[in-house]
């Protein structure tokens, strides 16, 4: 049997849950006839990305059930050949992609990631314990470069070294510190690389 089209799949899932299309339309913040017209008349021809995502989350299915194009079925993030130090800092001349990791596009959206503006790097050292430990893989939003006054975790460069630290915006400039109080202070001018937005830890 061929794959059901989005309209058929929506009608089937709604029937299984006992949900009316009008109620689902209101859940999306639309007028009550929105999904009825989509199912019966094909108008709109395609659901908006946000509507499709919310329906997929609600029914616990993949977005492809509601017509997600293949281009967003997986969000690819390059693995960079960089070990960002949670210690004294690692010298990095260049950042070379050594592969890609595909994450759920819904996770990518929730993190505010955009294609080509994210990378995965490995943590080395203990100065950011207990939050980050040696060997952790972290997703870095390379487009997010402005820390708040309260302090957030960023990958930075200082004195030519690449490291992960907690960075805060102060009246005197950027201040970078380690979470581990025993770690040495950060010296040198700080260059922002990107904000750490997700931690990918292998169970231990």
């Amino acid at each position: 049997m061929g794959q059901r089209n989005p309209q058929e799949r929506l009608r089937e899932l709604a029937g299984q849950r006992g949900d009316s299309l009008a109620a689902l339309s209101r859940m999306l913040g639309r007028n009550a006839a929105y999904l009825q017209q989509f199912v019966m008349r094909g108008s709109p021809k395609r659901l908006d990305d946000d509507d499709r995502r919310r329906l997929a989350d609600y029914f616990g299915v993949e977005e492809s059930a509601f017509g997600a194009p293949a281009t967003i079925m997986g969000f690819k993030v390059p693995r960079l050949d960089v070990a960002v130090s949670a210690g004294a800092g690692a010298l990095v001349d260049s950042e070379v992609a050594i592969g890609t990791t595909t994450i759920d596009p819904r996770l990518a959206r929730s993190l505010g990631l955009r294609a080509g503006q994210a990378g995965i790097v490995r943590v080395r050292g203990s100065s950011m314990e207990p939050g980050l430990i040696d060997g952790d893989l972290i997703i870095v939003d390379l487009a997010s470069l402005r820390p708040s006054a309260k302090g957030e975790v960023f990958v930075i460069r200082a004195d030519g070294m690449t490291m992960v630290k907690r960075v805060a915006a102060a009246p005197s400039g950027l201040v970078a510190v380690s979470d581990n109080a025993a770690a040495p202070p950060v010296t040198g001018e700080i260059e922002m690389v990107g904000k750490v937005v997700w931690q990918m830890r292998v169970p231990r």
Side-chain angles (χ1 to χ4, degrees), residues 70-85:
T71 54
I72 69 165
M73 291 306 295
F75 186 92
K76 296 185 182 299
V77 184
R79 287 274 302 273
L80 302 178
D81 189 16
V82 178
V84 292
S85 179

Side-chain angles (χ1 to χ4, degrees), residues 144-152 154 167-169 174-175 192:
S144 182
L145 303 175
R146 296 183 179 180
S148 66
K150 69 177 182 179
E152 298 159 297
F154 282 83
V167 184
L174 298 176
V175 177
M192 307 298 292

Side-chain angles (χ1 to χ4, degrees), residues 150-172:
K150 69 177 182 179
E152 298 159 297
V153 180
F154 282 83
V155 173
I156 64 172
R157 291 190 185 94
D159 284 339
M161 303 293 183
T162 303
M163 60 191 77
V164 56
K165 299 295 176 186
R166 190 169 299 277
V167 184
S172 58

Side-chain angles (χ1 to χ4, degrees), residues 10 13 17 19 23-31 34-35 47-64 66 68 72 106 109:
L10 176 58
L13 290 168
R17 292 280 294 262
D19 295 327
L24 292 172
S25 296
R26 288 191 291 269
M27 178 188 76
L28 299 176
R30 302 281 189 168
N31 68 68
Y34 173 65
L35 290 178
L47 296 173
D48 287 349
D49 290 350
D50 189 56
D51 293 339
R52 185 174 56 225
R53 175 185 58 79
R54 293 181 65 185
L55 286 170
D57 288 344
Y58 177 75
F59 287 113
V61 298
E62 297 293 330
E63 288 188 49
S64 57
F66 303 117
I72 69 165
R106 290 170 293 185
R109 278 196 297 269

